[in-house]
Amino acid sequence: MGSTVETYPVAGMTCGHCASSVSAGLEAVPGVCQVDVDLPSGNVRVTSAEPLTTDLVRAAVEGAGFSLAD
């Protein structure tokens, strides 16, 4: 079974601490294998064992104090 890779825009990340918080929140989601944050673009690439719902990703990002960008 292959993995799924999705990229999400996250609003409000301005520093390494922000990126770490978002990464930790997403890594706590069951099935997430890897999280790569690109701070300059504000994008987060999430690799997971199974496809994740946007609502699940949104909840994890919001739990870290940020939001998905529109």
Side-chain angles (χ1 to χ4, degrees), residues 1-28:
M1 172 119 338
S3 59
T4 300
V5 179
E6 293 287 340
T7 301
Y8 302 92
V10 177
M13 292 189 302
T14 59
C15 65
H17 184 266
C18 296
S20 293
S21 294
V22 170
S23 290
L26 288 166
E27 288 169 352

Side-chain angles (χ1 to χ4, degrees), residues 38-57:
D38 181 13
L39 196 54
S41 72
N43 288 328
V44 178
R45 189 175 71 189
V46 179
T47 304
S48 57
E50 300 290 331
L52 303 174
T53 66
T54 302
D55 288 341
L56 187 60
V57 173

